[in-house]
């Protein structure tokens, strides 16, 4: 249980009360603080106090990140974890040691791994100017990745889709409609946004609203992603549309049928969907080269 870490609870309360961070951000940052305190307790062999945190070294943080890597963290997720750690140490009155964040190697663009999708969405939500905007951005990005929507399709959704069910009817190119499944996590994210948005959501009006109450612009989402990816060390091709590509590639990698994927993506022809077979093959080749002793 996480209860033996009162300092993490204090930080979570500070983020919610004084910094007005979103519920998602508070939950994620609290979890980071708990992980750090638990790790340092085992690493140092004792209870970690506020005073003890003043002695955290760069080697300690490198060891913490290496431990987190065992959970499959990508570079973007590791960078976000390090950012949260720095914030927590500052709250505790400790100076975080200088430590260069992980860098992403340049090369052929690859799908964004699931952990880095969450890191990107979380970073965008953290930088929002209000909690409800953070909840909105988190919901939009999870929708793009979790359901494979084009950003224009997400912006075109109206409040008539509420209340949400297990599927969502989407209008794509050439006014073609399709039905996509909604993961529970995506439904929860949208419901959280709907509960916080300060504007009345009329059935025939936009579901996702801008800061002044009008329909949210795709450009606002793209700009937020651009700022967040820089802080996480992600490449310039990590865009909202890249989340749709990642959705497709990850489904194909887990055995999805091309025809079913075509329907989920709303492609007019199978040839548009077949591009993902080469993307997935390239990813598998990367895995082979990195893992095989004679590659």
């Amino acid at each position: 249980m996480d209860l033996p870490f009162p300092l993490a609870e204090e930080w979570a309360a500070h983020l919610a009360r004084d910094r007005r961070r979103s519920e998602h951000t508070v939950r994620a940052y609290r979890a980071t603080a708990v992980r750090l305190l638990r790790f340092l307790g085992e690493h140092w062999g004792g209870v970690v106090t506020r005073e003890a945190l003043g002695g955290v070294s760069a080697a300690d943080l490198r060891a913490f990140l290496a431990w987190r890597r065992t959970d499959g963290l990508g570079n973007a997720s590791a960078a976000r974890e390090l950012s949260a750690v720095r914030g927590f140490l500052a709250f505790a009155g400790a100076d975080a040691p200088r430590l260069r964040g992980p860098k992403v190697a340049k090369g052929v663009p690859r799908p964004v791994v699931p952990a880095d999708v969450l890191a990107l969405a979380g970073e965008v939500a953290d930088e929002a100017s209000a909690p409800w905007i953070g909840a909105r951005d988190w919901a939009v990005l999870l929708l793009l990745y979790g359901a494979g929507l084009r950003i224009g399709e997400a912006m075109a959704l109206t409040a008539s889709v509420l209340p949400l069910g297990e599927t969502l009817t989407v209008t794509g190119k050439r006014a073609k409609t399709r039905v996509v499944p909604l993961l529970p996590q995506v439904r929860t994210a949208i419901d959280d946004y709907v509960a916080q948005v300060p504007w009345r959501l009329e059935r025939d009006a936009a579901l996702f609203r801008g800061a002044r109450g009008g329909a949210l612009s795709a450009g606002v989402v793209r700009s937020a992603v651009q700022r967040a990816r820089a802080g996480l060390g992600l490449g310039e091709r990590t865009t909202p549309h890249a989340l749709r590509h990642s959705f497709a590639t990850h489904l194909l990698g887990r055995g999805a049928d091309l025809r079913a994927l075509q329907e989920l993506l709303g492609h007019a022809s199978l040839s548009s969907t077949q591009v993902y077979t080469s993307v997935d093959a390239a990813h598998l080749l990367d895995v082979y080269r990195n893992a095989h002793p004679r590659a």
Side-chain angles (χ1 to χ4, degrees):
M1 294 181 63
D2 297 339
L3 293 178
F5 300 99
L7 191 55
E9 302 299 336
E10 291 177 27
W11 191 44
H14 164 70
L15 291 172
R17 181 187 62 247
D18 304 324
R19 301 289 299 278
R20 296 182 58 81
R21 294 296 195 178
S22 70
E23 181 180 347
H24 160 74
T25 297
V26 172
R27 183 169 59 249
Y29 276 36
R30 173 187 170 279
T32 295
V34 168
R35 284 191 292 267
L36 178 68
L37 293 171
R38 180 183 292 123
F39 171 81
L40 291 177
E42 296 177 359
H43 190 57
W44 290 344
V47 177
V48 180
T49 63
R50 185 186 292 264
E51 292 72 23
L53 286 175
V56 171
S57 67
D60 292 326
L61 293 188
R62 280 193 290 269
F64 171 71
L65 289 178
W67 173 67
R68 291 289 288 127
R69 290 284 197 177
T70 62
D71 291 332
L73 250 64
N75 283 354
S77 299
R80 177 168 167 77
E81 189 89 336
L82 182 58
S83 175
V85 164
R86 287 174 176 147
F88 174 61
L89 291 176
F91 168 77
D95 292 328
R98 297 178 65 86
L99 183 66
R100 182 175 297 177
K103 291 186 177 181
V104 177
K106 295 182 179 180
V108 179
R110 291 290 180 260
V112 186
V113 300
D116 287 352
V117 171
L118 297 181
L120 178 69
E123 187 75 6
V124 170
D126 284 354
E127 296 303 315
S129 58
W132 77 266
I133 293 179
R136 177 202 70 193
D137 293 346
W138 172 256
V140 168
L141 295 179
L142 255 61
L143 182 62
L144 300 185
Y145 174 70
L149 269 62
R150 302 177 178 93
I151 189 169
E153 294 170 345
M155 299 300 96
L157 291 174
T158 67
S160 63
V161 301
L162 302 175
L164 296 170
E166 294 186 352
T167 61
L168 183 68
T169 299
V170 178
T171 302
K173 292 183 177 180
R174 293 175 290 278
K176 182 181 178 182
T177 61
R178 69 185 188 278
V179 176
V180 297
L182 277 183
L183 295 171
Q185 298 92 325
V186 177
R187 292 202 304 271
T188 297
I190 296 175
D191 286 340
D192 286 346
Y193 154 71
V194 170
Q196 296 182 52
V197 62
W199 314 101
R200 183 177 178 181
L201 298 177
E202 298 88 355
R203 287 184 57 80
D204 59 348
L207 172 63
F208 295 112
R209 299 299 184 85
R212 296 183 179 180
L216 176 62
S217 165
V220 170
V221 180
R222 292 191 183 100
S223 296
V225 168
Q226 182 177 6
R227 292 190 298 270
R229 75 188 181 210
L232 295 176
L234 291 168
E236 63 181 16
R237 295 198 179 187
T238 303
T239 63
H241 198 68
L243 301 186
R244 171 175 158 90
H245 285 308
S246 299
F247 161 85
T249 304
H250 296 158
L251 282 185
L252 187 64
R254 291 192 173 244
D257 175 79
L258 269 180
R259 287 289 183 187
L261 189 57
Q262 177 188 358
E263 289 297 320
L264 287 173
L265 292 172
H267 285 159
S269 65
L270 189 61
S271 60
S272 299
T273 312
Q274 286 173 331
V275 66
Y276 294 105
T277 61
S278 60
V279 172
D280 192 59
H283 173 67
L284 290 176
L285 186 57
D286 275 352
V287 173
Y288 168 80
R289 286 170 173 165
N290 290 332
H292 198 283
R294 296 188 180 277

